[in-house]
Amino acid sequence: MIKFTINGKLVQADQGDMLLTVIRREGIDVPSQCHHQAVEPSGACRLCMVEITRQEWDGWSKFVTSCLYPVEDGLMVTTHSAKVIQLRKTIIDLYLARHPNSTEIMRLASEYGVTRTTYETVADGDDCIMCGLCTRICAHMGFSAISTVGRGHDKEIAPPLKEAPTDCTGCLSCANNCPTNFIEFTRDSNSLTIWGRTFETLACSQCGKTTITRDFAEHLSKTRDIPIAYFEVCDDCHRKETAKTMGRVVNWTREVQA
Amino acid sequence: MNFRFVVNPEVCTGCRTCELACAFAHPHDGKPGKSRIYPIDGGFKELWVPVTCLQCDDAACVKSCLVDALKRNPVTGAIELNREMCVMCMACVAACPFGCALLDPGQDAVVKCDLCGGDPVCAHFCPTKALSYVPIEKKDRIAG
Amino acid sequence: MRIESVEQLRKLEKKYRGETESHPVRVHICYGPGCLANGAQEIGDRFRKVIKEKKLKNFKVEAIKETGCHGFCERGPLVVLEPEGTFYTKVKVKDVEAIVEKSLGKSEIIESLLYTNPADDKKIQRYKDIPFYAHQKRIALRNLGQIDQTSLHDYIAAGGYQGLAKALTAMNPNKVIKEVELSGIRGRGGGGFATGRKWATCAKIESDVRYVVCNGDEGDPGAFMDRAIMEGDPHTVLEGMIICAYAVGSTQGYVYVRDEYPLAVVHLQKAIEDAEAVGLIGENILGTGFSFHIAISRGAGAFVCGESSALMRSVAGEVGEPRAKYIRSVVKGLKDKPTVLNNVETFACIPVILSEGGKAFSKIGTPKSTGTKAFSLVGKIENTGLIEVPMGTTLREIIYNIGGGIKDGKPFKAVQTGGPSGGCLPESKLDLPVDFDTLTEAGSMMGSGGMIVMDDATCVVDVARYFLSFLVEESCGKCVPCREGLYQLHQSAVRICEGKGTDDDLEIMQHLSDMIVIGSLCGLGTSGPNPFLSTIRYFRDEYEAHIKEKKCPAGVCTALITYIITDRCTGCLACIPACATDAITGKKGQVHQLAQDKCDRCGACYAVCKYDAIEIH
Ligand SMILES: Cc1cc2nc3c(=O)[nH]c(=O)nc-3n(C[C@H](O)[C@H](O)[C@H](O)COP(=O)(O)O)c2cc1C
Ligand code: SF4
Ligand code: SF4
Ligand code: SF4
Ligand code: FES
C-alpha cells in the first residue's frame, strides 16, 4: 500500500496505480483528453498535469502528467495550483485557436473560463485534437488500421496511403472514442462506411435489425473461437430464443409432473 | 461460502419487479439505468422466463472482448464489465448467444449483469422467489 | 585470423605501426564530407594513377590514406604529407602531378598550396603550426586525418583496442565504471549527464538483458561532429561501445545512424565486419570469454528521433515518437530493458579514458566539465570547420584564435550554440568559458556542439524565427504545448519580422514560452522556446525596434527595410537588369531612380552595385 497526499489529504493506493486514477477516485476533477483505461497512457494532451513535491525537495516542485505518473510513497500532489491552472488554460487557449468549432473544446474552455483565444486562429483548423486515442485503441484491438501521418503541426490521422484501410473491420471503436466526434462514418440499411471503406453489416435473421459488420464478426469468430452463428441473431431475439428454449424445458417438466 | 444465482421460471409470474429493481440498482446521473434482466414470455400458457446473464464458464462475451474489459470477479463469480476500459465496439453484445450483454442508449454504455457485486437486488425483490441467490451445497459442488 | 589474446594484439600493434612508419612519406587525403564534396575522390584517384605512371621508387600505393575529416573544411580539399605534416590546402586534381613529382619524388614543398596566415601573410608549412590547429586538443577526433578511415590495421597501429584490452584483462566491470566515473566525462549528446553514473545505474538493475545504444542521429542542422567520427574513425565508436558493454554486462549493442549518413553506415558496417573477423566483436572477445554483438539501426529521418525514448522506439521498429515515461531508460529502455544510451562522441572518448586513465582525462577541461568537446564551427567566421577544444576554453578563443575572427573583418554580433533549441549569446558573453553549466546559466546550452557565428548583418529576431520554424517542422506533433505552442510562437515571430507585431506580443510570447517549457513531453518541446527566450534576454531592443519603430536594425527583415539609391550612384546601369520587378530606371551616367512601390526588397541591386551606392534603411 502506497501512502501519499492529494491536495493535503492523505490517500492510499496500490503500487503501480497512476496518479490520475487515484485523483479521480477521490472525486477530484482533473481534465484529460487523451486518456482511456483500455490503452497505455500517452501523455499527449498535457491537461492532466499536476504539481508534485516531496518533503525532502525543500520547496522545489515539478510538473508531471498524472495519467502516467505512478504513485509514490510520501508524494505531495497539488491538482489545481496556480501554475497548473495557468498551464491548463494555455493548453485550452491553444486548442481554441486550432479547433475553434469543436463543441468539446468549447465546453472545456468554458469550464476553465477561457472565453476567447489569445492566439492566431488557425485557418483550416479541424476538430481532430491529435489525442491519438483512435490509433491507440485501434492498435490495441489488434487492427492498426489507422495511424498518425506526418509530424508537427501538420500531423493527421489516416489509414496507410490514405486509401481504404485493408486492416479495418469497421468496429467503430475509433469513432466511438473520439473525444471531439471528429471521425465520421455513415450507415445505410445494410452497410456502414468509415475511412472510405464500406462494410456489410449483419442483419438479425429473426427481426432484421442490423448489428456489427460481417468483417468484425468473422474476425471475432476466427480469432476468438466463437461460432459465427452467434452473430446471426440480435441480442433482443437472442433473449426471446432463450426464453422459448427454457420455456419448452419447463413446460416439459410440468407435463411430466402433471 | 460460494453462492449461485438460481432462476426458477415455474414460479415466475411475469410481474417485472426484477426488471424495475435492476434498473434502480444501476442508476446513472440520478436516473434508473437499463435493466439487465427481462422476464419474457416462454411460449406456453402462464410461463414466463426471467432472462439474464448465466455467467457462463466459457463465456462468449469475454472471448469477444479484444480489450479485456470483461473479467470474472473471483469472489462473486460474475463476469463484470469495466466501463472505463470498454471501447464500445459492441462485440460482446453481438456475441452473447443469450442476448445478455446490452447497449444502454441512455448513458451510451454497454451493460451486463454484475450480480450487484454479490447481492443481487432482483432476487431480493422477486415476490415468488423465482430468483434466488443460494449457497452452493457441498454435494452440489461435487456434482458440479 | 583471430586475435586470441591481448599479447597478440600488442604484437600486432607494434608490427602494424612498423609497417606504417616504414613508408618514407604518407599521403593523407582528406575524405571528410567537405573535401569529398569538393572533389577529394578525384584527387585520390589521380594520385594512384600518377604514382603508377611515374613508377616512384620507395613509394607504395598503401602509403595513400583516405582519412576522415581533418576539420579545416574551409580550406579543402586537403592533402597532408606525413610524417612531416606538410599541409596542402585547396588542392585540385591538376595539382596532383606536381605534388607527386616534387613533394614525393624530391621532398620539395609547393609554396602555392600552403596555408597563408592572414595575420602576417606568411606561409605555414606544417599543420600543427597553423593557428586553427595549434589551439585545439583532440581526443574524440584524435584519429581523424591520421589514419585510413576504415582500416582496422591503421586503427590498431594507432593504439586502437588497447583500452578495451586493458579493460578486459586488467579490470573487472566495476573497475571500468569507476575509471569512467573518475574521468568525470559527461554526455556529449546534449544533456551533459554523467556517463559513469549512467553506466553504474544500468549495471545495478536486475535484468537478464541489457543494451548499449550509440546515438548517431545528429539532427542539428550544420552539425557534423558525429558524422565525421562515424565515417572517419568508426572503430573508436565500436571500441567505446564494447568497453561499455563489458562494464554494464550487455551482450547486444546498436548504433543508430542518421538516415542522411549512408557513408557512415557503410564505414561502420565494414568496421563491424572487420572487427568480427578478428574476434574483437562477437563471441569470446580477445579470448576472454566476454561476448558482445553490434548491429546498425538506420535512423527514421526526423530530428526528434535523436531524443532517447524516440530513438529506442525507432530501434525497436516502432514509430520514432518520444514516449512519456517517468522511468529512465537506464532502468527501462530499449524493449523495456535497462539500456545505456550514449552519444557518438562520448563513446569515442572512452577508449582514451581507459588507456590513458580517467585521472588524466579529468585534468583536461574544468572540474565540472572535464575533457574536450568537439564543435562544428560555422557561420560568418573565417575558418569554418570541425574543431575540438578543452572544456572551459572561452568563446572568444574559439572564435578569434581558432576561427580566425569574423569574416571580412565585420563586427561580431552573436554566437548561437546548442543546435536549434540552443541560444544566442552576445558580445558581452564572449569571455565565458565553454562548459555545460556556464552555457546553460547564460541561457544557451552546450547541446551536441553546433556553433554558429553571426556578424552584424544578422537580425536576431529573424534568427529566432528561423530556428522556431525548424522546431515547428521537427516537432513530432504528439503533445499540445510543443505542437501548437511552438507553432504560435513561430507565428508571432513571423508577425514581428513582417512589422505586424504589437506591444502585447512579447508578453504573450514570454508566457507561452514558460508554459511550453513546463508543459512539453520531451526535450524538444521543453527547450523549444530557447531561440526566443535567449534572444529576448540579450536583444530586447532589437525586438522593440521591429515592433515599435517598425525597423529591422540589421536590415534583414524585408518587410521593414527600404533600398535607397544615393548620389554615389555613377549611373552604370548594372542594377537595372538585376531588378526582377523593373523597379529601377535611369540613364547612363545619371543617378538612377528606384520606385519603392515596385520594389520587392530582394536585394539584387544592392548585391550588384560596385559603388556602394545603394543603402538599406
Ligand atoms: C529533440 C532531441 C534531439 C536529440 N538529438 C540528439 C542527437 O542527435 N544526438 C545525440 O547524441 N543526442 C541527442 N539528444 C540527446 C539524447 O536524448 C540523449 O540525451 C543522448 O543521446 C545521451 O547520450 P550522452 O549522455 O552521451 O550525451 C537529443 C535530445 C532531444 C530532446
Ligand atoms: S480523430 Fe479523434 S480520437 Fe483520433 S486523434 Fe483525432 S481527436 Fe483523437
Ligand atoms: S463493447 Fe466493451 S465490453 Fe463489449 S466487447 Fe467491446 S470493449 Fe469489450
Ligand atoms: S515535446 Fe514536441 S517533440 Fe516532444 S513529444 Fe511533445 S510534440 Fe513531440
Ligand atoms: S490525459 Fe494525461 S496527458 Fe492527456
Side-chain angles (χ1 to χ4, degrees):
Chain A
M1 210 34 105
I2 308 276
K3 289 198 182 80
F4 64 104
T5 67
I6 300 176
N7 299 340
K9 182 184 168 206
L10 189 69
V11 294
Q12 293 193 342
D14 291 327
Q15 177 98 41
D17 277 355
M18 295 296 162
L19 284 181
L20 184 64
T21 318
V22 188
I23 289 170
R24 295 219 163 132
R25 198 190 295 151
E26 290 297 312
I28 300 165
D29 197 14
V30 162
S32 73
Q33 290 290 340
C34 71
H35 187 67
H36 194 290
Q37 288 278 31
V39 288
E40 293 256 312
S42 115
C45 74
R46 320 302 286 173
L47 282 167
C48 71
M49 279 197 138
V50 295
E51 191 166 351
I52 59 169
T53 184
R54 307 181 68 90
Q55 203 82 56
E56 63 272 23
W57 287 358
D58 261 343
W60 186 78
S61 68
K62 66 175 177 180
F63 302 89
V64 298
T65 41
S66 59
C67 64
L68 40 70
Y69 198 94
V71 295
E72 278 168 17
D73 261 320
L75 209 60
M76 301 190 279
V77 181
T78 314
T79 60
H80 288 74
S81 69
K83 223 20 195 276
V84 164
I85 291 177
Q86 260 186 4
L87 180 66
R88 288 194 197 129
K89 282 187 165 176
T90 305
I91 290 170
I92 294 168
D93 198 340
L94 288 165
Y95 269 149
L96 216 47
R98 179 81 196 260
H99 321 286
N101 306 318
S102 164
T103 44
E104 169 64 12
I105 296 304
M106 285 187 238
R107 181 198 63 75
L108 192 63
S110 72
E111 202 175 289
Y112 269 76
V114 183
T115 45
R116 53 176 211 82
T117 180
T118 318
Y119 309 107
E120 199 174 291
T121 302
V122 178
D124 50 0
D126 58 28
D127 284 0
C128 172
I129 59 169
M130 274 300 175
C131 68
L133 276 175
C134 52
T135 55
R136 280 183 287 144
I137 288 174
C138 185
H140 189 56
M141 301 277 287
F143 303 127
S144 298
I146 48 171
S147 60
T148 56
V149 183
R151 61 170 181 253
H153 205 248
D154 302 326
K155 195 172 191 171
E156 53 181 336
I157 306 288
L161 308 169
K162 302 204 180 169
E163 285 168 7
T166 42
D167 294 331
C168 179
T169 59
C171 76
L172 299 186
S173 296
C174 54
N176 285 339
N177 293 284
C178 174
T180 58
N181 281 323
F182 175 67
I183 301 175
E184 285 172 8
F185 63 93
T186 53
R187 267 184 201 281
D188 233 320
S189 55
N190 55 3
S191 72
L192 172 165
T193 304
I194 188 164
W195 299 113
R197 187 169 154 201
T198 302
F199 296 88
E200 177 198 344
T201 43
L202 293 177
C204 173
S205 60
Q206 316 285 306
C207 70
K209 183 171 105 175
T210 56
T211 60
I212 60 177
T213 67
R214 178 175 295 285
D215 283 73
F216 190 33
E218 281 173 356
H219 174 85
L220 292 169
S221 171
K222 215 168 15 205
T223 61
R224 296 284 168 142
D225 190 26
I226 301 167
I228 191 78
Y230 285 13
F231 296 101
E232 283 156 5
V233 177
C234 76
D235 62 320
D236 291 333
C237 297
H238 263 145
R239 285 196 299 279
K240 281 187 197 139
E241 273 185 356
T242 309
K244 291 258 157 59
T245 319
M246 281 183 72
R248 268 199 301 280
V249 177
V250 174
N251 188 51
W252 179 74
T253 23
R254 247 194 217 168
E255 278 171 3
V256 171
Q257 280 165 7
Chain B
M1 194 182 295
N2 281 327
F3 285 81
R4 164 195 279 175
F5 188 74
V6 179
V7 181
N8 184 3
E10 268 174 86
V11 294
C12 175
T13 59
C15 71
R16 297 177 69 185
T17 307
C18 57
E19 205 179 309
L20 264 180
C22 182
F24 278 94
H26 299 93
H28 76 98
D29 279 351
K31 293 188 291 268
K34 189 176 172 85
S35 171
R36 288 92 158 127
I37 185 163
Y38 293 94
I40 298 173
D41 185 348
F44 296 90
K45 189 166 175 283
E46 280 171 20
L47 209 173
W48 292 84
V49 180
V51 178
T52 188
C53 174
L54 308 176
Q55 321 293 354
C56 318
D57 277 344
D58 185 26
C61 63
V62 175
K63 289 204 284 189
S64 76
C65 184
L66 300 179
V67 299
D68 293 335
L70 288 157
K71 280 204 189 82
R72 191 178 301 274
N73 180 327
V75 180
T76 64
I79 294 167
E80 294 176 349
L81 188 150
N82 180 342
R83 192 174 300 172
E84 305 262 84
M85 282 184 53
C86 171
V87 298
M88 302 281 293
C89 69
M90 300 298 135
C92 54
V93 177
C96 174
F98 309 108
C100 290
L102 313 138
L103 172 71
D104 180 350
Q107 56 173 325
D108 200 18
V110 174
V111 297
K112 76 170 287 301
C113 169
D114 56 357
L115 292 177
C116 297
D119 188 13
V121 175
C122 52
H124 273 296
F125 282 84
C126 178
T128 65
K129 292 284 161 266
L131 305 170
S132 55
Y133 196 53
V134 293
I136 301 177
E137 285 161 29
K138 262 220 176 79
K139 67 172 197 284
D140 250 17
R141 253 196 261 167
I142 292 163
Chain C
M1 176 206 56
R2 269 185 78 91
I3 308 174
E4 300 286 0
S5 68
V6 172
E7 292 70 46
Q8 205 186 333
L9 179 69
R10 296 232 167 86
K11 275 190 206 131
L12 272 184
E13 180 194 354
K14 256 207 196 107
K15 174 164 171 259
Y16 289 170
R17 191 175 320 126
E19 281 168 16
T20 305
E21 285 167 358
S22 71
H23 300 292
V25 199
R26 301 190 303 276
V27 180
H28 288 198
I29 306 166
C30 180
Y31 267 52
C35 290
L36 271 185
N38 286 312
Q41 176 96 48
E42 291 73 32
I43 292 170
D45 294 346
R46 182 80 189 138
F47 258 107
R48 268 175 284 247
K49 194 155 169 247
V50 174
I51 282 165
K52 221 175 180 179
E53 284 168 10
K54 306 250 170 208
K55 300 206 176 67
L56 282 196
K57 279 190 293 225
N58 268 343
F59 192 89
K60 297 203 192 79
V61 202
E62 293 86 76
I64 297 177
K65 308 274 181 195
E66 299 174 359
T67 75
C69 177
H70 278 78
F72 208 177
C73 311
E74 174 78 27
R75 302 292 158 139
L78 304 171
V79 174
V80 187
L81 306 182
E82 295 286 7
E84 191 69 3
T86 304
F87 192 73
Y88 287 150
T89 63
K90 301 211 186 242
V91 176
K92 300 205 175 54
V93 176
K94 66 174 170 48
D95 298 326
V96 171
E97 202 158 336
I99 299 178
V100 173
E101 227 161 66
K102 294 190 181 149
S103 303
L104 299 189
K106 310 180 204 147
S107 339
E108 280 172 24
I109 287 158
I110 304 170
E111 287 272 327
S112 63
L113 290 176
L114 292 179
Y115 173 77
T116 315
N117 190 0
D120 53 10
D121 259 345
K122 287 221 174 78
K123 296 281 182 190
I124 301 178
Q125 183 202 342
R126 288 183 195 83
Y127 78 95
K128 288 206 165 72
D129 302 328
I130 296 170
F132 178 80
Y133 289 106
H135 294 91
Q136 294 194 42
K137 178 160 184 68
R138 296 184 153 217
I139 294 178
L141 310 179
R142 65 193 179 282
N143 287 327
L144 294 185
Q146 306 302 314
I147 64 170
D148 197 284
Q149 42 187 349
T150 59
S151 160
L152 177 59
H153 174 288
D154 280 20
Y155 185 69
I156 289 177
Y161 288 109
Q162 294 298 340
L164 173 66
K166 188 169 163 190
L168 288 183
T169 52
M171 304 163 89
N172 63 23
N174 198 27
K175 191 128 183 281
V176 174
I177 293 178
K178 284 275 160 337
E179 202 65 37
V180 175
E181 281 181 333
L182 186 65
S183 77
I185 186 171
R186 292 167 68 174
R188 268 50 175 154
F193 191 82
T195 305
R197 185 133 52 91
K198 192 187 271 185
W199 293 15
T201 312
C202 182
K204 265 191 232 123
I205 312 281
E206 286 282 334
S207 179
D208 49 342
V209 184
R210 289 186 188 78
Y211 294 106
V212 171
V213 181
C214 174
N215 190 343
D217 198 48
E218 197 169 50
D220 294 10
F224 61 104
M225 300 75 61
D226 296 348
R227 171 182 185 173
I229 297 173
M230 288 187 287
E231 288 181 4
D233 193 13
H235 282 288
T236 190
V237 182
L238 303 181
E239 187 182 349
M241 289 176 71
I242 307 168
I243 294 171
C244 173
Y246 174 68
V248 304
S250 162
T251 55
Q252 179 65 54
Y254 295 90
V255 196
Y256 188 83
V257 187
R258 183 175 173 188
D259 199 45
E260 288 89 339
Y261 293 171
L263 199 59
V265 173
V266 173
H267 289 185
L268 280 164
Q269 191 60 47
K270 174 168 189 300
I272 291 172
E273 283 162 17
D274 290 352
E276 278 170 349
V278 298
L280 285 163
I281 293 179
E283 299 296 321
N284 193 16
I285 294 173
L286 287 175
T288 59
F290 171 67
S291 303
F292 182 60
H293 299 263
I294 301 181
I296 295 176
S297 182
R298 291 289 293 265
F303 175 69
V304 77
C305 287
E307 191 275 337
S308 60
S309 66
L311 183 144
M312 297 205 193
R313 288 179 82 172
S314 183
V315 172
E318 295 167 48
V319 182
E321 232 174 46
R323 182 162 150 201
K325 277 189 312 182
Y326 291 102
I327 304 169
R328 280 170 304 138
S329 58
V330 259
V331 182
K332 237 178 153 190
L334 182 59
K335 301 174 200 167
D336 283 345
K337 299 290 180 189
T339 305
V340 169
L341 173 73
N342 275 129
N343 167 259
V344 169
E345 193 185 330
T346 314
F347 279 126
C349 293
I350 298 295
V352 180
I353 291 175
L354 267 285
S355 58
E356 312 280 319
K359 191 138 189 212
F361 189 91
S362 73
K363 286 196 181 131
I364 307 164
T366 67
K368 283 193 169 165
S369 299
T370 58
T372 54
K373 178 76 193 81
F375 290 96
S376 64
L377 196 55
V378 296
K380 299 287 174 53
I381 188 161
E382 283 294 340
N383 306 331
T384 58
L386 185 65
I387 63 162
E388 186 173 348
V389 291
M391 294 271 189
T393 307
T394 65
L395 285 165
R396 194 182 297 280
E397 285 169 302
I398 294 177
I399 294 167
Y400 289 92
N401 297 352
I402 298 173
I406 309 302
K407 227 186 182 84
D408 305 326
K410 286 203 178 164
F412 168 89
K413 171 120 175 216
V415 55
Q416 207 273 357
T417 69
S421 44
C424 290
L425 299 176
E427 172 94 43
S428 63
K429 299 285 168 189
L430 275 186
D431 291 310
L432 286 187
V434 174
D435 64 56
F436 288 107
D437 311 306
T438 311
L439 285 182
T440 308
E441 255 164 57
S444 183
M445 59 185 197
M446 179 77 86
S448 56
M451 197 175 276
I452 306 171
V453 180
M454 302 175 223
D455 65 11
D456 70 340
T458 319
C459 166
V460 290
V461 185
D462 185 60
V463 167
R465 180 202 56 76
Y466 167 77
F467 283 116
L468 285 172
S469 77
F470 176 87
L471 293 168
V472 169
E473 277 287 289
E474 294 297 333
S475 156
C476 83
K478 179 171 179 168
C479 72
V480 183
C482 173
R483 181 185 69 234
E484 306 297 335
L486 287 181
Y487 172 86
Q488 293 292 353
L489 209 52
H490 174 247
Q491 291 301 102
S492 302
V494 169
R495 272 200 309 278
I496 295 174
C497 287
E498 285 172 351
K500 295 178 196 146
T502 64
D503 288 346
D504 296 340
D505 272 338
L506 294 182
E507 212 176 301
I508 292 173
M509 288 171 85
Q510 182 75 49
H511 177 77
L512 180 55
S513 298
D514 294 346
M515 294 297 123
I516 298 172
V517 170
I518 60 169
S520 295
L521 189 160
C522 84
L524 193 154
T526 55
S527 63
N530 275 358
F532 167 72
L533 291 174
S534 75
T535 47
I536 192 77
R537 174 161 166 192
Y538 296 116
F539 301 94
R540 189 175 199 100
D541 49 342
E542 210 162 321
Y543 277 91
E544 283 174 352
H546 281 74
I547 294 171
K548 296 205 167 84
E549 296 150 39
K550 305 290 174 212
K551 280 213 169 80
C552 174
V556 172
C557 298
T558 48
L560 299 180
I561 56 176
T562 42
Y563 287 91
I564 289 167
I565 302 181
T566 62
D567 50 16
R568 281 195 297 278
C569 173
T570 60
C572 74
L573 301 175
C575 55
I576 295 178
C579 179
T581 56
D582 294 333
I584 302 177
T585 49
K587 291 207 178 78
K588 182 147 181 87
Q590 288 175 12
V591 174
H592 296 347
Q593 264 78 48
L594 196 162
Q596 291 300 340
D597 54 334
K598 283 193 186 169
C599 174
D600 245 4
R601 304 184 183 90
C602 69
C605 55
Y606 181 79
V608 297
C609 181
K610 287 200 214 84
Y611 307 97
D612 281 343
I614 300 176
E615 282 177 5
I616 306 174
H617 285 269

